[in-house]
Amino acid sequence: MSGIYVHVPFCHAKCAYCDFYSLADTRRRRAFVDRVGQEYAARVDELGSSPVRTIYFGGGTPSILPADDFELLAAFFPKNEVEEFTIEVNPEDVTPEAVAAWRSAGVNRVSMGVQSLVDGELAVVRRRHSAADALQAIDTIRAGGIANLSVDLIYGLPGQTPETFQYSLDTLLDKGVEHLSAYNLSFEEGTLLTRMLREGRVAEASEDMIVEMYARLCTATHRAGLEHYEISNFGLPGFHSRHNSAYWDGTPYLGLGPGAHSLDCRGVRRFNSPDLRGYLAGASAIIDEEDETEVWNDRIITALRTARGLDLDSLPRHYAESVRAAARPFIATGDLVVKSGRLTIPENKWLISNYLMSELLVSED
């Protein structure tokens, strides 16, 4: 199988925490749509003969596209064997007419950025919707016939408490969502939120507070029947994100649009420069020159992000021996677990996963 990812680089406005490539100017959206079609035609051979099973429109904010632009964009891609077609949306864009257009174009999964159901928390990070808007959007999506809904939450927002996070979490789970993505807020360079932090206008959540929120997240999702299948992702059985799961197991995918990344059928990675002007002028995807060690370290990291973990026997022998040796002290302390040849990070240790993974990376020596 293979997948297609389209990066739609337009937003109504930039959220305070966001470091993804996006522009608050949609005047060139039709030129963008046309260019994606041209890029797809020029690069589809990178997928080889593998059938396209997933399509994912991310961004940016794909739901910002008017129905005619969205339908034209979706029409470029073969859908006869597609099992999952996801669009990322924001609540303020969800209308009965928009949902109908998405469904007509083949969308069967919606991923909606809610982030919080507390209006004060939303305002601090410059989200444009209210809690009521988000809940109404869920009802509109359901009424429009979408039976696979994922929502995003953030924990560690300025002013957020474990109790307000619990409220947002419980309210969304009570709505019966099939999938939840929950992210620990990060302060990225170049974002408004990081500037606000340095100026003392917001404060970073304490480590103890993050640990408590994460524990509440795990407890609530387990109680709701969602499986914690990747560090930040929880899904009912049968509703794990097929597209994102393919990223983590090395399935080929074709990334289109400015800022998009790809992995072709031969294992070659490419990326498009995050530059709409250059993209519209016909700039080509850039080959990401990785050596063998970098390739295997990518695989180690992506595998350890998942509940399935890393199959040690899948590594070349010298790398497997290196990982096993580095893992031993962490296995002894319970920070890592090995079973049936698979190395995993336990759920209660995923908050320190970056540290653990960095200790397991292999070198050329």
Side-chain angles (χ1 to χ4, degrees), residues 5-6 8 10-12 15 17 56-65 70 85-95 97-103 107-115 127-129 133-142 146 148-153:
Y5 172 79
V6 180
V8 180
F10 306 113
C11 284
H12 295 291
C15 298
Y17 52 81
Y56 195 108
F57 284 6
T61 311
S63 58
I64 201 172
L65 293 176
F70 182 83
F85 184 171
T86 302
I87 178 177
E88 290 183 352
V89 310
N90 278 341
E92 62 267 27
D93 296 326
V94 176
T95 65
E97 295 76 19
V99 176
W102 301 334
R103 282 202 68 197
V107 169
N108 58 13
R109 182 176 184 269
V110 168
S111 177
M112 185 164 69
V114 173
Q115 317 313 0
R127 295 292 290 178
R128 299 178 74 250
H129 68 272
D133 293 336
L135 295 174
Q136 179 58 55
I138 291 174
D139 293 339
T140 301
I141 290 166
R142 294 303 199 199
I146 298 292
N148 190 351
L149 173 62
S150 177
V151 294
D152 289 357
L153 278 180

Side-chain angles (χ1 to χ4, degrees), residues 209-252:
M209 190 173 291
I210 293 298
V211 169
E212 182 175 350
M213 290 180 184
Y214 177 75
R216 290 178 181 234
L217 170 66
C218 294
T219 298
T221 49
H222 288 171
R223 187 168 55 238
L226 276 66
E227 298 168 336
H228 194 176
Y229 68 100
E230 192 266 350
I231 289 177
S232 303
N233 287 279
F234 307 77
L236 291 174
F239 288 93
H240 298 186
S241 171
R242 299 186 188 186
H243 186 85
N244 289 340
S245 294
Y247 289 155
W248 305 321
D249 68 13
T251 297

Side-chain angles (χ1 to χ4, degrees), residues 172-219:
L172 288 173
L173 292 175
D174 286 346
K175 296 291 281 187
V177 297
E178 288 76 25
H179 190 278
L180 174 75
S181 297
Y183 303 98
N184 182 4
L185 179 69
S186 59
F187 290 81
E188 304 293 343
E189 284 299 322
T191 64
L192 173 61
L193 193 63
T194 295
R195 187 162 73 248
M196 294 167 68
L197 178 68
R198 288 173 176 160
E199 294 171 355
R201 291 189 282 159
V202 298
E204 194 168 1
S206 69
E207 183 177 331
D208 288 345
M209 190 173 291
I210 293 298
V211 169
E212 182 175 350
M213 290 180 184
Y214 177 75
R216 290 178 181 234
L217 170 66
C218 294
T219 298

